[in-house]
Amino acid sequence: MTAQKIFGGVQRLFFVAPIAAMMFHPQGFAQAAAELQWSQDPGSHCKFVAPSSLTGGPTFWIGACLEGKASGQGMLRRRDGERAGAAFFGRLRDGVPEIGVIDLGDGFKAGRFSSGDIGDEAAAEPQDRIDAFRIAAEAARLVGAKYAAEKNAGSARHYEELAKTLELQID
């Protein structure tokens, strides 16, 4: 092995390592998140990035809001006037979706958040799809529990049934 091959490889490592560190370091994540299109819940003013499949319009977050940003499992629901629009069920970190499912009404998109949307990866891992439906079912149950606590039995029942439907997609 020549010195050029050895030191050339080391040179590439010094170039790639800072990029990888930025991607996996929380500050690098924050920088990448700043480039995304941010929205906020009209009522709670909690901020988030809505997957592009939800399209435009008022979007509401049901879930935890830590330091002004949607966090953890929950639901982003777009409203079309008085009608409920598409919804994302899944997990957000610092307001940015990580993984979950978009219920488009006539089908589902599942997977990780990439390039501004859910499930758009060309070579997505099958395990990502399984994890997305599992996490989405848990999120739907959390939304149902919120409505049950508010004594809204109809909505609580709806989200519990949706959680079962999401789980059936795993099989």
Side-chain angles (χ1 to χ4, degrees):
M1 202 173 225
T2 68
Q4 182 179 10
K5 285 185 181 178
I6 294 170
F7 291 110
V10 171
Q11 234 176 0
R12 280 190 294 277
L13 179 62
F14 285 119
F15 175 73
V16 172
I19 294 169
M22 183 183 79
M23 288 173 51
F24 294 104
H25 188 274
Q27 187 176 12
F29 178 81
Q31 288 171 342
E35 297 171 10
L36 297 169
Q37 179 68 38
W38 287 84
S39 301
Q40 73 178 17
D41 182 293
S44 70
H45 305 290
C46 192
K47 294 181 178 158
F48 53 83
V49 173
S52 61
S53 291
L54 292 182
T55 66
T59 304
F60 298 82
W61 167 248
I62 294 179
C65 188
L66 302 175
E67 297 180 10
K69 293 182 181 174
S71 297
Q73 291 180 308
M75 174 183 73
L76 288 171
R77 168 75 74 187
R78 190 188 76 234
R79 299 289 304 174
D80 298 322
E82 294 296 313
R83 290 187 12 245
F88 166 76
F89 295 90
R91 186 173 60 219
L92 283 80
R93 176 178 154 208
D94 293 326
V96 179
E98 288 185 313
I99 188 169
V101 173
I102 297 178
D103 180 357
L104 297 166
D106 60 352
F108 299 111
K109 287 182 74 174
R112 295 196 172 275
F113 185 73
S114 173
S115 302
D117 207 2
I118 291 292
D120 277 353
E121 309 92 22
E125 293 291 323
Q127 188 63 49
D128 285 344
R129 185 171 166 79
I130 292 167
D131 292 345
F133 277 106
R134 182 184 48 77
I135 289 166
E138 292 171 10
R141 282 202 172 82
L142 289 172
V143 172
K146 174 205 175 288
Y147 282 115
E150 294 174 355
K151 308 288 187 225
N152 184 337
S155 291
R157 210 171 19 259
H158 169 76
Y159 288 105
E160 181 58 38
E161 289 300 315
L162 180 59
K164 291 176 186 175
T165 299
L166 292 165
E167 285 176 334
L168 289 174
Q169 306 306 307
I170 296 170
D171 296 333

